[in-house]
Structure formats: C-alpha cells, structure tokens
Amino acid sequence: MATDAVAQLADSLAKTQVTEGELSYKGQGRKFDNMVKEIQEFKGLQALRLEGNTYGVEAAQAIAKALETKSEFKYCYWSDMFTGRLRSEIPPALNSLGAALMTAGARLTVLDLSDNAFGPDGVKGIEKLLKSTACHTLQELRLNNCGMGIGGGKILAAALTECYKQSSAQGTPLGLKVFIAGRNRLENDGATALAQAFQLMGSLEEVHVPQNGINHPGVTALATAMQHNPQLRVLNLNDNTFTKKGAIAMAQALKHLRSIQVINFGDCLVRSEGAIAIAEAVTEGLPILKELNLSFGEITGEAALLVAQSVEGKATLEKLDLNGNCLGEEGCDDLREVMDGLNMGDLLGSLSDDEGEPEEEDDDEEEDDDEEEDDDEEEDDEDEEEDDEDEEADEDDVEEEDDSSVNQVSSPPSVPRSPDAASFLCFPSPDKLLKLGTKRALLFEQQVDVADAGKTAEAFLKISSVYNEEDEQVKSAVLDSIDAILRKAFASPSFQGYNFVSSLLVMLGLLKSEDKVKPVHVVPGHLQALEYVVRQDYFPQDHIAVLEAFMSRLTHHIGTKFTKDIANMLQIAHCTHVPMLSGCCV
C-alpha cells in the first residue's frame, strides 16, 4: 500500500540526514568505523544524532576525531548513547567528544545527554565543555535521567555559572532557554546550587526538574530564582515535595511571571494552604496560562473551588488538573459545577482518582515531612541556646532583684505598672485594652511584627476577641487597633496577604495545617471584626473569595444565625467588588 511506502520512507529519512546539516544514526547500531568516515566527509555538519546506540571509549575517540574540523556544529543529540557500558567508560568518552568540539571552534545550541545514567562523574566529563566558549551560545541543556545526584548538580551549577561569567565578560552572556534535568536525585542542595545559576542567567523559558527529591528548602530556592527569569513559559516540578512553605514561595514567584503558560505541580503535596496561595497568584496574573496541574496534592474541596474560580477569564486555558486530591464525591460535583458555570467544564481533567474527603486529624498522626522535622530540630537547637541565654539572664535578674530588695527595705511600695500592648496580647481583656489609652493603636503597631503574616493574624484574633457591640468605647478601641495593624501590614509590598488569610482560617479551625496549630475558641467578636475589616479600603478584595469559600463551614462549629449572616455578607462583598468571580459564589 502507498501508506506503507510512505512510512518506510519516513523511517529511512529518520535514520539518516533528516534536516539540512544533520546526520542521524539514531537507533541504528552501526559500526563506528563506517560512521567516522561519513562524519568526516559530511560538509557543513551542524547536528549529529547518536541516540539509542552504545559507544565505548574507543568509538567516542574516533567520532571525536572526525568532529575536530566541524566548526559549524551546533546540535548534540546524544541521549542514550552508552547503553550497557560501564559507568567508568562514560567520563573519558564525554571528555573526548567535548574536547573535539572545543578544538573545532563549535558554537553549540543544543546539548542533549539524557538517559545516560552517568552519575556525578559523567557531569565531570562535560564540565570543561560547559565552561568553554563552545557553550557560550547554548540554548537548550537536556540532562534528563542521568543520575547526577547532589554532587553532579553542584558541579553542573558551578560550570554554568562560570560559563555565564566568561561569556558576559566577552559581551555575549549565556542565554540558556531550556533546562531539563528530571529524575536526577538533585535533592535540596543540588536544586539550591542550580537555582543560584538560574537566577544569575535570567534567560530561562522552560524548566523541567520532576522527580528529584526536592523539598521545601530547594523549592523555595528555585522559586526565588524563577522570579528573575521573566520569560519563563513552562515550569515542571512534578513529583517533588512542596508542602505549604514551598507552595507559598512558588505562588509568590508566579506573581512575577507574566509569560507562564504551563505549570506542573502535580504530585507535589502543595496542600490546601499552598493551593489557596497559588489560586491567588493565578487570579492576579498569568494572562496566557494554558495548563495548571495541581493533581495529587492533598487539596480539600474548598481550596479546589478557589483554584477553579481563579482560572475564570483565562481565554488560553486548555486544561486544569485537580485529580487525586481530597475532594470527596460532593466536592467533585461542586468543582464540576463551578467549571461548568465558567463555561470551562471541558477543560477540567478527570477526577477518577480522587482520594475522598480527609479524615479528622488524630493526636497520634505522624509528624510532618522529613525535611520539616529537620528544620524543627535545627530550630530546637537554636531555642535551646536561647533558653540557656535566658537562664543566664534570669540568674542575673535574680541577683539584681536580691540587691534591689536590700536597698528598697525602707522605700515606699512601688506603683503597679500600667498594662502594655504585650501583656494585653498575652491575656486580652476589655479593661486592659482601654487602659492602653489613646495611643493604643501606635503601641500595637510597634508591638506586632506585621512582616510575619501568622503573627499578624494571631494579633487580629486576640484584639477582636474583646469586641463588644454594645460597648461603644471598647468597640471603637478594637476597630482602631485592628485598623492600625492591618493598614500597616497590607501597605507593605512584602506582606503576604494570602498567608495572612490562610493563617486566619487555620486558627479559626476552618483549614487543616501542616503545623500542629490549636484552633481558637471562636467568639462573635472575631466575626464582627472580620465583617468590618473586609469593608475597608486596605483589605484586598480578592481575599474575600477565600474567606467566603470557607466561612460556611464555621456554622458547623458554632451553628448560629450570625455566622450565616457573615457568610452572606462576604458573598455580597465578594460579588460586588470582584466582578470576575461573580456567579461563582460558593
């Protein structure tokens, strides 16, 4: 049949020269002596495909010799070219090939060495090449499934950094666009080292580092680096472990990436708090987003709805993947309903692997992920040092008190000190709040670290706990104090508003947290103050959507008509001030 002939022709072309200046031995298993002659005789060679073969040191040296005169050479398609070879053979083979390209004066555009499993030693085999002028023009570096490990990642990062510095000194800085290094066991240290190189270059358009055992410290380092790569289009960190900290850091980075089209954070354990942060980033920007993958992330139904609402108006969206999360049957139905309401139902991926609604936390539930336990141990060590210092200070205080007691035997009794902001925050009461006087707002501004969203949320709840609708003086004092703190917080460009909202939800018992946070006893003052705050000009209106989605759950905790009124108020404020989400109110 004619179609068979066409297929045979296409296959034949694929195994030889398929584009101008390209010579391909992909999967042919040819003897290298014949290949060498063809390479030598090929005029204007720009690309060489050696994939799917097996070359030892001798063969690599012979091929390298043939490449020494190919000054126009640009494309190395050399993945899976050491099948069955000892790992010790690969570094000298790569050294020979790299030296030949440097001798030829080649200027590479693509270097693909994926699926060669050469480990850290293999990276050493290309280290000189990466630092040389041959790679000053490199645009794509593909090292998928090479087993580089932490050591290889650090060597690679150092080589790229050196390449960038040398090329910049010559007026043509390295402009790497595509970096692929999945399945390499880079872990935190390897990822952090590479992040520093990425931040320096600032030219990346695609980054693929899935399945690398990266936890939140490495994810945070990569997030910081991505902010310095404004042309980034594709970000794939699938099957690493973000947790809340990493997800929030990555969400912050996304706010700087207007060109992003594909986000793959599937199987990354972003969890609900992280999903909320990412949803806010999507709502605020990402105008040409095509794909968003937050599958298998332990995301609950309410957070998933916020993610769905965040893609409204994204005309370029092609797929939203929230499969494998913790929505439950009802949550899946709600999610489909929201997407259908946005006329985007066909863009929602399958939900067939949903894990069901999460069970309540048990007291004996396992502690957080290993990396966070390590962080906690470090923090404990620091706390122990601080405790030692505090004990020494306490001893000094005791001595001073003993001395002062001797001197004050005949002195009149001291006058009790007026309450300060710190003592109020420890044990809030209306009386203490009023005794702070007219400068209470200023005192709270000075006392509360508004750079810390969690501490800001805690202060809000403590102050609002004494709110009394019937006592005009206390009511005014509460609202003035809250105004001062939150106005200052939201005025700061570095303040993480979504983190503030998620902290509030955790403390109110509406959102499960990675940390063992005990919810507060919810009182009407909390909700009345919240009603006031969301109507103020300093409170970002898009945060109302987050509060609204969760507030209905509070009625299950205290079951009053008042909480329903608050939920309705949030819904009205949300639909009034955030038109892009109207019609999607939960």
Side-chain angles (χ1 to χ4, degrees):
M1 295 177 64
T3 53
D4 292 334
V6 171
Q8 290 176 4
L9 177 59
D11 185 63
S12 177
L13 288 172
K15 292 181 178 179
T16 56
Q17 181 182 351
V18 294
T19 61
E20 183 180 357
E22 180 179 292
L23 190 59
S24 177
Y25 298 101
K26 184 177 181 179
Q28 293 185 26
R30 295 270 298 275
K31 291 186 177 181
F32 71 84
D33 51 354
N34 294 332
M35 291 171 50
V36 169
K37 185 177 180 181
E38 291 175 0
I39 294 171
Q40 288 174 333
E41 295 176 352
F42 195 102
K43 302 298 182 181
L45 182 65
Q46 295 185 32
L48 180 62
R49 291 188 174 274
L50 301 175
E51 307 106 311
N53 290 286
T54 176
Y55 302 109
V57 176
E58 183 182 359
Q61 290 173 342
I63 295 170
K65 188 67 177 177
L67 289 173
E68 287 181 350
T69 60
K70 307 301 178 182
S71 59
E72 299 177 43
F73 195 76
K74 296 180 180 179
Y75 307 98
C76 302
Y77 298 110
W78 296 349
S79 64
D80 192 23
M81 60 179 283
F82 298 112
T83 304
R85 294 289 172 178
L86 296 174
R87 180 174 289 188
S88 60
E89 295 181 82
I90 300 177
L94 291 173
N95 266 319
S96 298
L97 292 166
L101 297 177
M102 290 185 279
T103 299
R107 292 293 184 269
L108 297 184
T109 300
V110 176
L111 178 58
D112 185 356
L113 289 166
S114 298
D115 300 314
N116 279 311
F118 47 51
D121 290 340
V123 184
K124 293 178 181 178
I126 59 171
E127 185 177 7
K128 290 181 180 178
L129 173 63
L130 289 172
K131 292 179 178 180
S132 73
T133 55
C135 286
H136 286 187
T137 53
L138 193 64
Q139 294 185 14
E140 297 185 17
L141 180 57
R142 303 173 181 267
L143 297 170
N144 200 60
N145 192 31
C146 288
M148 290 188 290
I150 295 172
K154 289 182 176 180
I155 296 170
L156 177 61
L160 290 173
T161 300
E162 183 64 23
C163 181
Y164 178 82
K165 290 180 178 179
Q166 290 188 14
S167 60
S168 296
Q170 295 181 17
T172 55
L174 172 65
L176 190 67
K177 294 181 179 180
V178 178
F179 180 84
I180 300 176
R183 300 183 65 187
N184 270 290
R185 304 193 310 277
L186 293 171
E187 300 182 15
N188 290 332
D189 290 347
T192 300
L194 285 167
Q196 294 171 354
F198 296 161
Q199 183 168 333
L200 189 64
M201 291 185 290
S203 56
L204 289 167
E205 296 180 6
E206 292 188 28
V207 174
H208 303 261
V209 285
Q211 292 184 309
N212 269 292
I214 306 171
N215 299 325
H216 77 79
V219 172
T220 300
L222 288 170
T224 300
M226 293 305 103
Q227 295 184 39
H228 297 268
N229 288 264
Q231 299 307 312
L232 191 69
R233 295 182 293 104
V234 179
L235 183 57
N236 176 9
L237 279 83
N238 187 279
D239 200 10
N240 290 292
T241 307
F242 282 34
T243 62
K244 177 185 72 173
K245 294 179 182 178
I248 289 176
M250 197 58 73
Q252 187 65 26
L254 290 176
K255 293 184 177 183
H256 298 266
L257 302 175
R258 302 284 297 175
S259 299
I260 201 82
Q261 296 179 22
V262 178
I263 299 172
N264 187 346
F265 297 160
D267 206 14
C268 284
L269 210 64
V270 299
R271 296 189 172 138
S272 295
E273 292 171 277
I276 291 171
I278 293 169
E280 179 172 318
V282 174
T283 300
E284 292 181 2
L286 313 190
I288 56 175
L289 183 65
K290 290 184 177 180
E291 295 183 21
L292 176 59
N293 184 349
L294 296 178
S295 59
F296 298 94
E298 291 191 0
I299 300 170
T300 57
E302 293 85 355
L305 291 177
L306 292 172
V307 173
Q309 292 171 354
S310 74
V311 302
E312 183 179 14
K314 308 296 180 186
T316 57
L317 190 73
E318 297 175 359
K319 184 176 182 180
L320 173 62
D321 191 348
L322 288 166
N323 196 21
N325 283 299
C326 305
L327 312 185
E329 184 176 349
E330 184 178 347
C332 289
D333 290 340
D334 290 343
L335 181 59
R336 293 188 187 98
E337 183 179 347
V338 168
M339 291 297 288
D340 287 339
L342 298 174
N343 294 320
M344 290 179 159
D346 57 335
L347 305 183
L348 180 63
S350 170
L351 299 175
S352 60
D353 295 319
D354 186 72
E355 297 286 342
E357 292 187 50
E359 297 180 0
E360 293 294 326
E361 287 187 35
D362 295 326
D363 292 337
D364 59 350
E365 183 179 359
E366 292 184 4
E367 292 296 321
D368 222 334
D369 302 289
D370 291 339
E371 80 281 5
E372 295 186 356
E373 291 178 354
D374 293 339
D375 289 348
D376 291 340
E377 289 175 4
E378 294 176 4
E379 291 173 4
D380 289 342
D381 292 339
E382 294 175 1
D383 290 341
E384 288 175 6
E385 293 176 3
E386 292 175 2
D387 289 342
D388 291 339
E389 294 174 1
D390 290 341
E391 288 175 6
E392 293 175 4
D394 289 342
E395 291 174 2
D396 294 338
D397 290 342
V398 170
E399 293 175 2
E400 291 176 6
E401 288 174 4
D402 290 341
D403 293 338
S404 63
S405 63
V406 172
N407 295 329
Q408 293 178 3
V409 169
S410 59
S411 301
S414 59
V415 178
R417 195 160 53 102
S418 298
D420 58 16
S423 67
F424 170 84
L425 292 173
C426 288
F427 303 101
S429 73
D431 184 57
K432 283 185 180 179
L433 181 64
L434 294 178
K435 285 183 178 179
L436 290 176
T438 57
K439 293 185 178 180
R440 66 177 68 87
L442 178 61
L443 293 174
F444 281 123
E445 280 189 57
Q446 296 171 344
Q447 181 65 33
V448 179
D449 180 11
V450 296
D452 188 321
K455 291 180 179 178
T456 305
E458 184 179 3
F460 167 82
L461 291 176
K462 288 189 174 183
I463 296 171
S464 61
S465 68
V466 303
Y467 182 97
N468 187 342
E469 183 70 29
E470 297 179 357
D471 188 327
E472 195 62 36
Q473 191 176 9
V474 172
K475 173 183 173 180
S476 178
V478 168
L479 298 184
D480 288 346
S481 302
I482 289 174
D483 268 340
I485 294 172
L486 295 188
R487 191 177 296 278
K488 179 180 178 181
F490 284 110
S492 172
S494 61
F495 185 67
Q496 296 182 337
Y498 52 82
N499 200 1
F500 167 78
V501 172
S502 64
S503 295
L504 269 183
L505 293 171
V506 168
M507 293 175 190
L508 290 171
L510 302 180
L511 183 63
K512 180 180 177 182
S513 174
E514 295 172 13
D515 307 314
K516 301 299 181 183
V517 178
K518 184 178 180 180
V520 301
H521 173 64
V522 180
V523 296
H526 291 142
L527 306 181
Q528 289 167 318
L530 186 60
E531 178 185 10
Y532 168 81
V533 164
V534 298
R535 296 184 183 276
Q536 304 312 303
D537 57 359
Y538 57 75
F539 194 85
Q541 296 300 328
D542 51 352
H543 290 4
I544 296 175
V546 180
L547 291 169
E548 176 205 344
F550 284 84
M551 188 54 64
S552 60
R553 292 180 59 187
L554 192 54
T555 59
H556 298 298
H557 287 260
I558 57 179
T560 66
K561 178 179 180 297
F562 180 72
T563 58
K564 295 179 181 179
D565 292 341
I566 294 294
N568 291 334
M569 176 277 299
L570 287 169
Q571 187 178 47
I572 292 170
H574 170 200
C575 294
T576 302
H577 296 291
V578 194
M580 67 178 297
L581 295 179
S582 61
C584 309
C585 299
V586 180

